[in-house]
Amino acid sequence: MFYYNEMKVTFQTFGCKVNLVETENLKTKAISEGFVYVDSLEDADVIIVNSCAVTDNAEKKSEQYLKKIKKKYPDKKIALTGCMAELRKKSSNADFIITNSGKADIFQHIIDNKNHLEPISNLDHYTESFNGGIIDKTRGFLKIQDGCDNYCSYCIIPFLRGKPRSKSEEKIVDEFYSMLKSGFKEIVLVGIHIGKYGIDTGTSMYDLLKKLTNFEGNFRIRLSSIELNELSEELLDLIIHCDRICKHLHIPLQSASDKVLKLMNRRYQFKDFLEKVNIIKKLSPSMTIGTDLIVGFPGETDEDFEEIYDNIYKSSIDYLHVFPYSEREGTVAAKMTEKIDEKTKSHRSEKLRLLSESKKFNAAKKLFGKEVKVLTEKENKGLTDNYFEVLLNKDLPQNRFITAKIIGITFDGSLIGDIKEEF
């Protein structure tokens, strides 16, 4: 029998950046509640699996891992949490199942030797009570929000993460200040749908950023992915003109065909996306803009793909994240006909990835000969505020701002920098 103040816990995390942040938070919470955190499975009494189920393959990967460790460590307690727990109310490979609505109290459920099966859909407020969110030695990641209600036809996230729920401004400000005091120079705001921050609490992303940028010190803030329709004129003006906000926006598009966007239930047309991107580039030429594209969505014909490729080619997007469509049981898209075969999806994806490489290289070339501010990372590398990796000619400690002159570009769009100043 285990006593909680002697219990050793470890974690395995699958899926998105938000899951990674949550796991880091849980590590801190475990220690604060008297548990002992260990890195290895062998040393642990309890293995907590923070799972992913955004795609069928992601769910299978989490399930295969559960089966593997249960077989290898039959005497250890295994707790399943995360998005797969929302779908599995029982599992022969897990001793505890804790849905996302109970994740913040997972250690109490383990102490009580109980499952927590309340679905996330029943939760209408932000519940996490633990501090922090650091998952990188250079950058801090701060979760500000959870949930989504967009109901894109290909996506199961609203059913796994629930409705949009915002962490209080007061708590975010406290956590942000704590991370600055810890020495972090860049803090990334993350969530499932950060553009909807404040929709349930009477505030907004604009209001939050105004508060966070008022802190003293040498730091910068980076936004994670944010939707087109949530980039208001007021918010864009702040992002463009505030030196403490990184000049980098990742705006998910998902398709450059109006027909496919409608099938995806994306609620805008390509011209809307293009217009906003052009406005941003005109007001802030140094702004790097990336996007996501899902390729081979049901009904995407050869003609549709040619339109998608041509639209992206002509746009001023700087890079792409390309994903072949993966069917997810339980979504509207899974019931659609006119499926695209895997070979075609693979071919189309490769064409767009090659286009992305070309666009990124051309964007990088614009920085040749210029002096840029870089935040140093490990292995003689650094990151500009507009999201270009810089290969540095000198070994420097991590987490330091420097000025580097760009003297070269690699084939993959990374920059080569000659260090000019350290500060």
Side-chain angles (χ1 to χ4, degrees):
M1 180 175 180
F2 295 123
Y3 294 95
Y4 81 91
N5 60 342
E6 301 172 356
M7 194 177 294
K8 298 176 182 177
V9 297
T10 195
F11 297 83
Q12 176 66 37
T13 307
F14 294 90
C16 64
K17 188 79 74 177
V18 173
N19 260 12
L20 291 169
V21 171
E22 289 172 348
T23 294
E24 291 302 310
N25 290 337
L26 288 171
K27 289 178 184 178
T28 302
K29 187 176 178 70
I31 296 168
S32 70
E33 295 195 2
F35 290 77
V36 178
Y37 169 71
V38 295
D39 283 322
S40 68
L41 297 174
E42 288 79 7
D43 294 336
D45 300 317
V46 177
I47 302 168
I48 298 175
V49 179
N50 195 1
S51 63
C52 179
V54 68
T55 65
D56 286 334
N57 286 337
E59 184 180 352
K60 289 175 184 175
K61 188 175 180 180
S62 294
E63 179 60 40
Q64 288 167 358
Y65 182 79
L66 283 172
K67 185 176 181 180
K68 176 183 174 181
I69 60 173
K70 190 62 177 177
K71 182 178 180 180
K72 188 172 181 179
Y73 305 107
D75 297 329
K76 297 183 187 295
K77 295 292 185 180
I78 299 174
L80 170 65
T81 190
C83 290
M84 196 175 92
E86 293 291 327
L87 304 175
R88 306 286 185 95
K89 301 308 179 187
K90 60 181 179 178
S91 171
S92 59
N93 297 310
D95 299 287
F96 308 104
I97 296 180
I98 297 96
T99 55
N100 280 325
S101 65
K103 186 182 284 185
D105 299 314
I106 191 169
F107 300 109
Q108 189 60 52
H109 299 310
I110 292 171
I111 293 168
D112 295 340
N113 203 37
K114 290 181 179 179
N115 292 328
H116 175 94
L117 302 180
E118 182 180 357
I120 193 68
S121 58
N122 291 350
L123 198 62
D124 60 2
H125 60 284
Y126 197 95
T127 60
E128 293 174 15
S129 59
F130 36 77
N131 289 315
I134 297 166
I135 64 169
D136 184 288
K137 290 184 178 180
T138 302
R139 298 188 289 165
F141 291 76
L142 176 56
K143 184 182 173 187
I144 64 169
Q145 179 273 345
D146 207 336
C148 176
D149 59 359
N150 271 18
Y151 294 99
C152 299
S153 65
Y154 53 82
C155 185
I156 200 170
I157 288 295
F159 304 101
L160 304 180
R161 285 283 183 170
K163 64 190 74 172
R165 306 176 309 282
S166 306
K167 185 183 290 185
S168 73
E169 274 191 356
E170 181 181 10
K171 185 156 185 61
I172 292 171
V173 168
D174 286 345
E175 292 180 16
F176 188 87
Y177 179 63
S178 176
M179 294 169 85
L180 289 180
K181 283 180 65 178
S182 296
F184 289 89
K185 299 288 195 296
E186 177 175 313
I187 297 175
V188 187
L189 305 184
V190 301
I192 297 300
H193 197 139
I194 67 166
K196 288 199 172 182
Y197 176 78
I199 194 170
D200 55 328
T201 56
T203 184
S204 67
M205 176 63 76
Y206 173 83
D207 294 332
L208 176 63
L209 285 174
K210 287 289 285 184
K211 287 182 171 65
L212 298 183
T213 54
N214 276 335
F215 278 104
E216 295 183 357
N218 191 14
F219 67 89
R220 66 191 189 192
I221 299 170
R222 191 178 302 276
L223 302 182
S224 56
S225 180
I226 186 166
E227 294 284 345
L228 174 73
N229 294 332
E230 283 133 26
L231 282 168
S232 66
E233 184 176 332
E234 180 182 52
L235 178 57
L236 272 176
D237 185 69
L238 178 61
I239 293 169
I240 289 169
H241 293 105
C242 180
D243 291 339
R244 286 180 165 165
I245 302 177
C246 291
K247 302 304 175 275
H248 165 228
L249 288 170
H250 190 88
I251 313 171
L253 173 60
Q254 308 305 3
S255 181
S257 157
D258 289 345
K259 168 195 156 184
V260 178
L261 285 171
K262 187 174 182 180
L263 289 171
M264 290 178 166
N265 194 33
R266 287 296 288 173
R267 300 186 181 91
Y268 54 78
Q269 295 184 324
F270 178 69
K271 65 178 177 61
D272 302 319
F273 181 88
L274 188 63
E275 181 181 2
K276 185 150 288 187
V277 168
N278 288 341
I279 289 172
I280 296 169
K281 284 289 189 177
K282 182 178 179 180
L283 295 173
S284 180
S286 65
M287 184 79 72
T288 297
I289 301 178
T291 195
D292 297 328
L293 285 178
I294 296 173
V295 181
F297 192 77
E300 182 190 278
T301 64
D302 289 340
E303 291 75 20
D304 293 330
F305 180 72
E306 288 177 10
E307 178 190 15
I308 291 166
Y309 186 93
D310 190 52
N311 281 340
I312 295 298
Y313 177 83
K314 292 176 180 177
S315 76
S316 51
I317 290 294
D318 296 304
Y319 69 87
L320 312 170
H321 289 167
V322 181
F323 306 92
Y325 169 71
S326 177
E327 184 173 290
R328 190 62 177 103
E329 184 180 351
T331 63
V332 172
K335 300 176 183 178
M336 293 180 179
T337 57
E338 300 183 68
K339 311 288 187 183
I340 311 300
D341 64 88
E342 295 301 317
K343 183 177 180 180
T344 300
K345 285 193 282 187
S346 178
H347 174 68
R348 292 176 183 176
S349 297
E350 182 61 20
K351 284 192 69 174
L352 283 171
R353 288 189 182 113
L354 289 172
L355 177 59
S356 177
E357 290 177 9
S358 175
K359 281 185 161 289
K360 186 177 178 182
F361 183 80
N362 287 332
K365 284 197 304 183
K366 297 175 184 177
L367 294 173
F368 183 78
K370 294 185 177 181
E371 292 191 356
V372 296
K373 186 177 180 179
V374 178
L375 181 61
T376 59
E377 298 181 332
K378 59 185 178 181
E379 298 176 347
N380 293 4
K381 295 178 181 178
L383 193 68
T384 66
D385 82 324
N386 59 347
Y387 208 56
F388 281 95
E389 182 182 70
V390 182
L391 310 178
L392 301 168
N393 61 346
K394 181 181 176 182
D395 187 16
L396 290 174
Q398 296 181 54
N399 201 37
R400 180 179 297 180
F401 282 122
I402 64 162
T403 298
K405 183 175 182 179
I406 304 307
I407 59 174
I409 318 280
T410 67
F411 71 93
D412 64 353
S414 295
L415 308 173
I416 300 172
D418 180 24
I419 296 170
K420 294 297 181 184
E421 182 183 8
E422 301 176 31
F423 54 95

